């Protein structure tokens, strides 16, 4: 195909909404205005782990301007849910509104709907919750040690069980113990990442507006409009056709707007009051309550030959899912699928677990699961290079995957570009490579 | 939600502050106070935008700066390097157009980055009280803080700044270049007689409950030629004098380490 | 405390609006006058998405009490397009791909206008400082700075105003 036939490749293509952005004419969810709109504020758990003894909403309901107060007793459909239940992920473990227990500080308990944002905030502050505090667990290894309290009956050992009854997302390729026995060096270390907040400029929010036809229109900034509609319908026990979701304009998402965090309760509030209801996270809620990229802990053990070949890699990973599952089982699958990094080695063993703690639930963020893997793998590569006294560029080139290599997850590699990428980076960085490393390509691995 | 009061005279404002005591908050530029939310009823916000406190008067030997002068106006009106540097280090341009000189002196740690410059310049604060006008050195004002909160000294009306008799410098350590809270902020004003330091004021903010002058660091450089030994001693004195907090900006350990580093850098700029 | 009638001049028009106690300028501009180019990213002066001009000076509408803007000229981004023609500063944002999600863009353009009005030929460092109160989370700062550089260049080439 000649370049002439390509309409887009190699050209600048106009961004359709740029002029609208520059003029300030793009309509985000909260740029629509309805008369008599109400505002929703959530009363949230003050404890990271506690039994709920009593919830008293009388003072909140009597607070000036408060129109409606919603607890779990008002939920017409599901009390607990998981966004991926429709594709078989489960069991559903997360309360829509907490009832018997709270498992993280910030967990929603009571929604207060009022005439103004200030009145909603004042009403929510008057909800009284009596707690019976329980010991909390905040460390992934402590959580699965057997001595920590179980967060839910679903996961008695505080870790996820995959549908095939495995405790982890696993890779078993070759025999790592044999590889370690044959290796000249063993290099091992522990790696830890922190939770990261997506921090979009626009916080999570929606407006639910009842219509005369019995349908509810929802203006939302979700990143996944059909997903949000179907989950909202499932949670509330509604036919999806009762909900008309308008989305697509997102003031920054980065994975932080796929949790269906605001729509179900706003729709319920709109149904109860017959009035438009807006639920907008404050910046504090966005930072403290909305889900983060999960924190990971990894242990990596490598068997390395004197010439730099890595002959065995064993990885044990713990994803801190926080109190509930959300998308973490998928995150650990992606994490395991990314291992052992863009390198070919004959023996690989991976266990990637999803662990539950009393931290805020974690969820999607740009390549979740993968970033922590790359972070740890590349630090480990540098450590290997240092241990055997080899140039880290050369170590990576030597081990980089080639076309035709069998990957640890048993897929034959195609379209490899790692060797050429490292060579290009070395040229740009002014790092000189020996001739034999400059001559390497993604097609030339000799059968070893 | 508190009630907004907008007095039309300084006397009226001073009376309101005296009458409402702890229930009253003075609202100047609003860049700190408007960030608060008001879930409960009660209290008063006393606006100072109608009191004529937004002027800088230049006179022989110095400047008289109205407490409600925005930082960006101070930068244009008072040509002292340390002070001008300080105004660029607080918020972004919009905040600098709104935040006032007086208001910034009441900001809670780690905010309040104007104070070290004014401490180094030996500024005086003039308060209107129900009983009349009182003047206090800025260091006495901060000595009166308790539990990280300012004393209720009346209505700050103006800041008197004498023309500096030495060279001044100001540096803020932060996690990014602009519009960011302080890890630690250091300002110094040094007078020299020949090559020897005859007088010095060294002040810090961000790494303690409130801004303060560091007497130990000052003693270490007075009489010296700002040589390596004196600067090292001053940095060490400052590191032991600060009481840093750990927060989302920085750890106690990092704030203490940067205190020494930035005292060295500021003194190096004046050597 | 009661609702109150105040008079504002916004984008050249006189407006009489009823405000709730302690209503911010942002509340009035967004919710009463429906000037929704004024965004609300944090409500506490940390992000710059609500930037407006008050008597030509850059201000944060979320931290400004509406009644304290009485008697002043308030300009929002919409005020740049009173004749519906896109202005060179906005065109520079378009040509430099200086927006992704667009949420910070309105505040960025207002802050850039405030900068260029005061300093028509800013250095790169001055642009960075001038936009330092405005956050972008799609990591678009480099094209935004390029857009302002281009607008400043266009300004000096034509002798026209940036906006």
């Amino acid at each position: 195909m000649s370049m002439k036939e390509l309409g887009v490749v190699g050209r600048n293509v106009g961004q359709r909404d740029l002029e609208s952005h520059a003029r300030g004419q793009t309509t985000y969810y909260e740029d629509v205005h309805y008369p008599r709109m109400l505002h929703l504020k959530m009363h949230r758990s003050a404890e990271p782990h506690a039994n709920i003894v009593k919830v008293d909403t009388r003072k909140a309901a009597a607070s000036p301007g408060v129109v409606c107060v919603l607890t779990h007793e008002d939920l017409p459909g599901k009390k607990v849910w998981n966004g991926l239940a429709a594709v078989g992920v489960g069991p559903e473990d997360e309360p829509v509104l907490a009832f018997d227990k709270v498992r993280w500080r910030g967990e929603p308990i009571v929604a207060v709907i009022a005439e103004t944002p200030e009145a909603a905030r004042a009403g929510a502050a008057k909800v009284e919750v009596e707690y019976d505090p329980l010991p909390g667990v905040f460390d992934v290894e402590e959580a699965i040690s057997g001595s920590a309290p179980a967060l839910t009956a679903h996961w008695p050992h505080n870790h996820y069980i995959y549908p095939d009854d495995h405790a982890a997302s696993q890779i078993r390729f070759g025999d790592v113990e044999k590889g370690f026995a044959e290796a000249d060096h063993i290099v091992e270390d522990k790696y830890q990442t922190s939770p990261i907040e997506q921090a979009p400029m626009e916080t999570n929010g929606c407006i639910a507006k009842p219509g005369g036809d019995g349908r509810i229109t929802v203006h939302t900034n979700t990143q996944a409009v059909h997903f949000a509609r179907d989950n909202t319908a499932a949670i509330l026990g509604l036919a999806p056709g009762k909900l008309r979701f308008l989305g697509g304009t997102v003031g920054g998402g980065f994975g932080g707007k796929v949790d269906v965090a605001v729509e179900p309760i706003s729709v319920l509030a709109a149904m109860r009051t017959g009035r438009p209801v807006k639920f907008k996270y404050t910046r504090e809620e966005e930072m403290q309550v909305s889900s983060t990229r999960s924190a990971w802990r990894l242990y990596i053990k490598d068997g390395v030959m004197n010439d730099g070949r890595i002959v065995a890699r064993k990885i044990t990973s713990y994803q801190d899912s926080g109190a509930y599952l959300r998308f973490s089982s998928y995150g650990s699958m992606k994490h395991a699928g990314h291992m052992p990094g863009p390198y070919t080695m004959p023996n690989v063993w991976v266990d990637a677990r999803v662990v539950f703690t009393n931290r805020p639930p974690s969820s999607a963020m740009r390549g979740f699961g993968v970033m922590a893997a790359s972070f740890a793998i590349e630090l480990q590569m540098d450590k290997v290079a240092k241990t055997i006294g080899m140039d880290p560029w050369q170590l990576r080139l030597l081990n980089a995957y080639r076309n035709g290599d069998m990957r640890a997850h048993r897929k034959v590699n195609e379209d490899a570009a790692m060797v050429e990428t490292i060579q290009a980076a070395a040229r740009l960085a002014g790092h000189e490579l020996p001739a034999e490393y400059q001559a390497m390509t993604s097609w030339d691995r000799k059968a070893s | 939600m508190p009630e907004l009061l907008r007095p039309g005279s300084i006397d009226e404002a001073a009376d309101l502050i005296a009458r409402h005591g702890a229930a009253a908050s003075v609202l100047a530029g609003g860049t700190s106070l408007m960030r608060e939310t008001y879930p409960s009823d009660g209290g008063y916000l006393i606006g100072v935008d109608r009191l004529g406190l937004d002027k800088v008067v230049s006179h022989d030997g110095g400047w008289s700066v109205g407490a409600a002068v925005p930082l960006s106006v101070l930068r244009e009106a008072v040509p002292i390097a340390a002070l001008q540097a300080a105004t660029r280090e607080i918020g972004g341009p919009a905040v600098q157009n709104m935040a006032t000189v007086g208001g910034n002196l009441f900001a809670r740690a780690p905010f309040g980055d104007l104070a070290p410059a004014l401490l180094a310049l030996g500024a005086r604060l003039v308060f209107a009280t129900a009983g009349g006008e009182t003047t206090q050195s800025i260091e006495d004002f901060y000595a009166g803080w308790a539990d990280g909160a300012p004393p209720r000294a009346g209505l700050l009306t103006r800041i008197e700044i004498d023309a500096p008799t030495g060279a001044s410098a100001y540096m803020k350590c932060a996690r990014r270049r602009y519009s960011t809270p302080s890890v630690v902020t250091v300002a110094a004003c040094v007078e020299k007689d020949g090559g020897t330091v005859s007088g010095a004021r060294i002040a810090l903010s961000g790494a303690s409950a409130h801004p303060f002058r560091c007497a130990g660091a000052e003693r270490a450089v007075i009489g010296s030629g700002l040589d390596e030994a004196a600067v090292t001693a001053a940095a060490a004195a400052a590191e032991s004098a600060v009481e840093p907090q750990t927060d989302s900006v920085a750890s106690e350990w990092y704030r203490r380490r940067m205190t020494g580093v930035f005292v060295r850098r500021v003194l190096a700029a004046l050597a | 405390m009661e609702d109150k009638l105040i008079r504002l001049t916004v984008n050249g028009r006189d407006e009489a609006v009823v405000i709730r106690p302690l209503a911010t300028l942002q509340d009035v501009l967004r919710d009463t006058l429906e000037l929704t180019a004024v965004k609300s990213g944090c409500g506490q002066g940390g992000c710059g998405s609500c930037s407006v001009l008050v008597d030509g000076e850059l201000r944060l509408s979320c931290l400004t009490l509406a009644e304290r803007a009485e008697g002043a000229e308030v300009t929002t981004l919409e005020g740049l397009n009173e004749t519906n023609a896109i202005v060179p500063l906005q065109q520079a944002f378009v040509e430099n791909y200086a927006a992704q999600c667009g949420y910070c863009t309105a505040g960025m353009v207002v802050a850039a206008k405030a900068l260029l009005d005061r300093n028509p030929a800013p250095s790169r460092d001055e642009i960075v400082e001038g936009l330092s109160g405005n956050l972008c989370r799609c990591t678009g700062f480099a094209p935004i700075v390029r857009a302002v550089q281009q607008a400043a260049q266009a300004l000096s080439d034509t002798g026209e105003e940036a906006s």
Side-chain angles (χ1 to χ4, degrees):
Chain A
M1 186 184 285
S2 77
M3 287 301 287
K4 272 187 181 169
E5 293 169 64
L6 296 173
V8 172
V9 175
R11 301 180 190 191
N12 283 338
V13 177
Q15 188 180 320
R16 194 178 45 180
D17 50 9
L18 256 175
E19 182 169 334
S20 165
H21 290 342
R23 286 168 169 265
Q25 292 175 338
T26 305
T27 304
Y28 298 82
Y29 88 90
E30 64 168 336
D31 294 339
V32 297
H33 290 88
Y34 291 115
R36 302 180 70 241
M37 186 165 75
L38 298 168
H39 299 266
L40 189 154
K41 179 72 184 173
M42 196 62 78
H43 181 89
R44 299 180 176 281
S45 169
E47 295 285 338
H49 198 194
N51 288 315
I52 295 177
V53 179
K54 199 172 82 181
V55 176
D56 188 342
T57 62
R58 285 172 299 179
K59 285 180 188 161
S63 188
V66 170
V67 173
C68 177
V69 174
L70 299 172
T71 71
H72 70 94
E73 291 176 359
D74 298 292
L75 296 168
K78 296 184 181 187
K79 303 273 189 205
V80 293
W81 74 296
N82 177 276
L84 297 175
V87 292
V89 175
E92 296 181 304
D93 66 340
E94 181 164 2
V96 179
L97 293 171
F99 44 99
D100 58 340
K101 260 180 108 173
V102 289
R103 298 177 181 85
W104 57 285
R105 203 176 72 179
E107 183 160 0
I109 306 174
V110 179
V112 175
I113 297 99
E115 299 284 352
T116 65
E118 294 79 18
R121 194 162 54 220
K126 291 175 189 164
V127 172
E128 292 174 356
V129 180
E130 190 182 326
Y131 299 100
D132 170 23
L134 299 166
V137 59
F138 305 97
D139 180 90
V140 283
E141 288 180 88
E142 196 187 314
I144 59 170
S145 66
S147 58
L151 266 66
T152 76
H154 298 307
W155 332 108
H157 306 293
N158 289 333
H159 64 76
Y160 182 66
I161 309 288
Y162 279 89
D164 57 5
D165 222 24
H166 285 116
S169 197
Q170 298 180 329
I171 294 178
R172 299 290 185 269
F173 184 68
D175 181 345
V176 282
E177 296 308 327
K178 183 167 159 281
F180 293 145
E182 291 167 3
D184 296 323
H185 305 271
I186 299 296
V187 182
E188 50 190 327
D189 215 334
K190 171 185 176 183
Y191 301 92
Q192 176 75 47
T193 68
S194 295
I196 298 172
E197 165 56 38
Q198 299 88 351
M201 293 298 295
E202 177 203 47
T203 61
N204 272 273
C206 75
I207 294 170
K209 158 90 169 58
D213 58 357
R215 298 173 82 200
I216 308 275
T217 297
V218 181
H219 303 269
T220 169
N221 60 15
T222 179
Q223 289 175 251
V225 74
H226 295 96
F227 180 81
R229 186 201 54 170
D230 290 353
N231 271 296
T232 300
I235 286 169
L236 297 177
L238 298 172
K242 289 282 181 194
L243 300 174
R244 177 172 171 253
F245 269 51
L246 301 176
T249 303
V250 183
F254 325 118
K257 286 178 179 160
V258 292
D259 285 328
V260 203
V262 290
E263 295 91 346
I265 198 70
S266 302
V267 168
L268 181 60
M271 290 167 62
R272 280 297 187 85
T273 61
R275 290 171 62 178
V277 175
K278 178 176 176 179
F279 183 9
K280 177 188 183 180
Y281 273 16
T282 61
R283 179 53 57 184
E284 286 84 353
E285 284 179 300
E286 191 64 39
M287 298 303 287
Q288 294 171 1
V289 174
S290 78
S291 55
T292 61
R293 181 195 287 282
S294 49
W296 286 78
R297 182 171 304 160
L298 298 91
Y299 292 88
I300 305 180
K301 179 178 180 182
D302 285 352
V304 188
M305 307 308 290
N306 284 327
D307 65 6
R309 281 175 299 131
I310 300 172
V311 293
R313 174 165 282 176
K314 182 177 184 181
I315 299 166
T316 306
S317 304
Y318 306 96
Q319 178 184 189
D320 188 343
S321 184
Y324 299 110
L325 180 60
R326 296 196 183 170
F327 307 121
S328 293
S329 58
Y330 173 59
S332 280
M333 287 166 66
K334 282 173 56 174
H335 179 88
H338 194 69
M339 296 300 186
Y343 307 104
T344 295
M345 41 195 81
N347 304 295
V348 178
W349 185 103
V350 178
D351 256 16
R353 289 186 188 223
V354 177
V355 181
F356 301 103
T357 66
N358 293 109
R359 291 178 180 274
S362 59
S363 181
M365 183 174 179
R366 291 191 164 180
F368 65 124
V370 173
M371 195 202 74
S374 295
F375 164 79
I377 289 291
E378 295 310 323
L379 287 177
Q380 174 76 4
M381 293 302 284
D382 285 345
K383 189 179 173 78
V384 168
K386 202 169 178 182
T387 302
I388 64 170
M390 187 172 182
D391 172 37
W393 299 76
Q394 295 175 28
L395 176 78
R396 287 178 170 85
L397 283 165
L398 184 72
N399 288 284
Y401 56 18
R402 268 53 167 196
N403 288 317
D405 285 355
M406 177 64 79
R407 304 278 286 136
H409 49 283
R410 292 181 179 76
K411 185 180 181 304
V412 176
N413 205 58
E414 298 169 5
D415 296 331
M418 180 70 175
V419 170
E420 292 75 12
T421 303
I422 295 174
Q423 288 164 337
R427 280 194 298 275
L428 288 168
H431 183 83
E432 288 219 12
L433 291 169
E436 71 261 38
Y437 285 88
Q438 288 183 36
M440 286 178 174
T441 78
S442 284
W443 286 269
D444 69 349
R445 184 190 297 284
K446 310 285 181 282
S448 55
Chain B
M1 200 181 285
E3 186 173 354
L4 175 67
L5 305 173
R6 296 171 79 192
S9 73
I10 289 171
D11 286 348
E12 192 189 338
D15 277 349
L16 286 171
I17 288 169
R19 189 179 337 141
H20 296 303
S25 301
V26 172
L27 178 69
T31 53
S32 288
L33 211 49
M34 289 292 290
R35 297 164 66 221
E36 310 284 334
T37 52
Y38 305 104
S40 55
D41 295 334
Y44 299 90
L45 293 176
I46 299 178
V48 295
D49 55 322
R50 290 175 171 172
L51 306 182
L53 299 178
D54 55 351
K55 310 264 185 320
V56 179
V57 178
S58 172
H59 54 76
D60 287 351
W63 297 266
S64 181
V65 179
V69 167
L71 298 175
S72 57
V73 173
L74 179 73
R75 177 164 63 233
E76 300 297 321
V78 181
I80 302 174
L83 211 51
Q84 291 177 322
T87 63
R88 292 175 61 193
E89 298 286 355
I90 299 167
V95 166
Q96 292 156 19
N97 287 336
M98 298 170 70
T100 65
V101 176
N104 195 261
L105 299 183
F106 291 84
R108 310 287 178 96
F111 302 102
D113 292 319
L114 189 63
L118 291 172
L119 282 160
L121 294 167
R124 295 177 304 283
L125 309 183
V126 182
F127 292 87
T129 71
E133 202 169 88
T134 63
T135 301
Q136 201 176 19
S137 74
I138 185 171
E139 60 208 78
D140 286 348
F141 167 70
Y142 282 114
W145 280 42
D147 299 324
R152 306 203 70 83
L155 175 70
L156 177 64
T157 55
R158 61 184 195 274
I159 296 94
E160 300 287 350
I161 305 169
D162 293 340
T165 48
S168 62
Y170 175 101
M171 288 183 194
K172 173 170 168 175
C173 172
R175 301 295 288 263
R176 60 180 212 142
R177 178 65 188 87
Y178 294 111
S179 195
T180 183
S182 172
V183 172
V184 62
T185 302
V186 180
C189 186
V190 169
E191 291 164 34
K192 286 187 192 165
D193 187 1
T196 305
V197 175
S198 55
R201 294 195 200 92
I202 299 172
L204 297 100
S205 68
S208 290
H210 57 75
F212 71 105
R213 257 179 76 177
C214 184
E218 292 171 1
R219 276 197 302 275
V221 296
I222 291 174
S224 81
L226 285 181
D227 50 284
E228 177 62 25
V231 169
T232 299
E239 279 191 28
S240 59
V242 292
E243 294 172 351
Q245 70 280 18
T246 292
D247 59 22
S248 58
V249 177
S251 66
E252 176 191 346
W253 175 87
Y254 186 67
R255 279 203 160 93
R256 198 181 296 282
R257 288 292 301 272
M258 289 304 105
T259 296
V261 169
F262 275 73
V263 166
R264 295 185 73 91
R265 288 186 188 176
V266 163
L267 293 175
L270 296 171
Chain C
M1 283 179 290
E2 291 175 358
D3 289 356
K4 195 169 184 176
L5 178 75
I6 64 166
R7 291 174 194 285
L8 298 172
T9 306
V10 182
N11 299 333
R13 276 189 299 275
D14 293 332
E15 308 275 6
V17 292
V18 176
I19 61 163
R20 287 183 280 128
L22 298 190
T24 63
L25 184 58
Q26 177 183 60
D27 296 335
V28 171
L29 295 173
R30 277 191 56 80
D31 300 337
T32 310
L33 302 177
E34 298 197 22
L35 294 165
T36 54
V38 179
K39 292 293 175 238
S40 176
C42 74
Q44 47 187 250
C47 78
S49 69
C50 69
S51 298
V52 297
L53 304 180
V54 176
D55 286 338
E57 271 190 356
L58 190 65
R59 300 283 176 95
L60 298 170
S61 60
C62 74
L63 299 182
T64 302
L65 283 172
E67 61 182 285
R68 285 173 66 163
E70 274 193 293
E73 295 269 349
V74 178
T75 308
T76 70
L77 181 61
E78 287 94 341
L80 272 60
N81 301 112
E82 290 295 285
T83 63
N84 198 36
I86 192 165
V87 301
L89 176 58
Q90 292 167 320
Q91 189 59 34
F93 270 68
V94 173
E95 287 173 14
N96 287 277
Y97 295 81
Q100 286 184 39
C101 85
Y103 197 85
C104 74
T105 312
M108 284 285 180
V109 173
V110 171
K113 174 176 165 53
L115 170 69
L116 294 177
D117 285 350
R118 198 177 68 247
N119 178 2
S123 66
R124 191 181 187 286
D125 285 350
E126 287 169 335
I127 294 171
V128 169
E129 185 173 356
L131 299 180
S132 63
N134 293 69
L135 299 184
C136 167
R137 272 292 287 172
C138 303
T139 64
F141 288 113
I144 291 166
V145 170
R146 280 197 295 273
V148 180
Q149 286 176 312
Q150 179 184 314
Q153 189 61 48
L155 179 72
S156 76
D157 289 349
T158 62
E160 286 175 20
E161 288 198 3
S163 50

